[in-house]
Amino acid sequence: MENLEIKTNIQIGKPIEEVFEGIVDPAKMSNYFIAYGSARLQSNAVVTWQFPEFPEQFTVKVLEVRAPELISFEWEGAAGQQLTVKMRLEALSPGTTLVTITESSMPNNEAGIKWLKSNTEGWANFSACLKAFLEYNINLRKGAFDFMKKP
């Protein structure tokens, strides 16, 4: 049975360098994805992220950053599972960037299918929020997941 892998794409109407900075800079990322990031994403760094909806912090082990086309890291993408995320950026024109995100991999079983559904939704949301922030300076995430906050 083949392992499961997530793959999402989105086109953003901004130059590749601007999209790259929007992902690696925690001050920018806090406008659409995280509430807090301990440092920039750079090769071999260990970064802590906190999301607005959850009190827990998440450790991100950055594997490789190659400006402006690749960001790769490991994190606990599923309970007890360290998974690899790769964000590839491709300039389609001077003002347009294609962002492709993959996360891998989980077995093709019940736990893997649950992960596939949840994290595919998450990366699609990340992509839409990144686009809204970079193109229109809108934070789509603000308040969107308040219902998930623990009382």
Side-chain angles (χ1 to χ4, degrees):
M1 208 181 314
E2 197 171 309
N3 279 349
L4 302 172
E5 178 179 271
I6 293 169
K7 184 174 183 179
T8 65
N9 297 311
I10 197 161
Q11 181 175 308
I12 298 177
K14 290 291 179 176
I16 191 170
E17 295 81 11
E18 191 173 334
V19 177
F20 177 82
E21 282 299 313
I23 297 171
V24 299
D25 182 346
K28 291 183 175 146
M29 212 184 223
S30 68
N31 288 295
Y32 69 90
F33 185 55
I34 56 175
Y36 166 80
S38 63
R40 280 177 68 84
L41 299 179
Q42 54 188 9
S43 295
N44 303 311
V46 177
V47 175
T48 302
W49 283 346
Q50 184 168 4
F51 292 90
E53 312 77 40
F54 311 111
E56 304 87 18
Q57 293 189 341
F58 298 84
T59 300
V60 176
K61 180 182 174 190
V62 184
L63 302 173
E64 181 181 8
V65 174
R66 229 178 352 192
E69 69 269 343
L70 176 69
I71 300 140
S72 177
F73 60 86
E74 285 182 345
W75 72 337
E76 189 174 346
Q81 300 291 317
Q82 290 297 310
L83 302 175
T84 301
V85 175
K86 290 185 181 177
M87 299 180 177
R88 296 186 186 279
L89 285 65
E90 177 186 352
L92 300 179
S93 73
T96 306
T97 304
L98 177 64
V99 178
T100 301
I101 301 171
T102 59
E103 184 175 7
S104 59
S105 67
M106 289 282 289
N108 190 352
N109 58 24
E110 188 175 333
I113 291 169
K114 181 180 176 186
W115 162 80
L116 183 71
K117 177 188 178 300
S118 175
N119 286 28
T120 298
E121 288 175 0
W123 288 119
N125 181 269
F126 168 90
S127 299
C129 290
L130 174 64
K131 180 178 179 72
F133 172 67
L134 291 178
E135 290 184 7
Y136 305 103
N137 201 32
I138 295 171
N139 184 343
L140 290 179
R141 193 172 179 108
K142 186 176 182 180
F145 299 102
D146 285 353
F147 68 94
M148 296 174 73
K149 289 182 180 177
K150 295 178 184 174

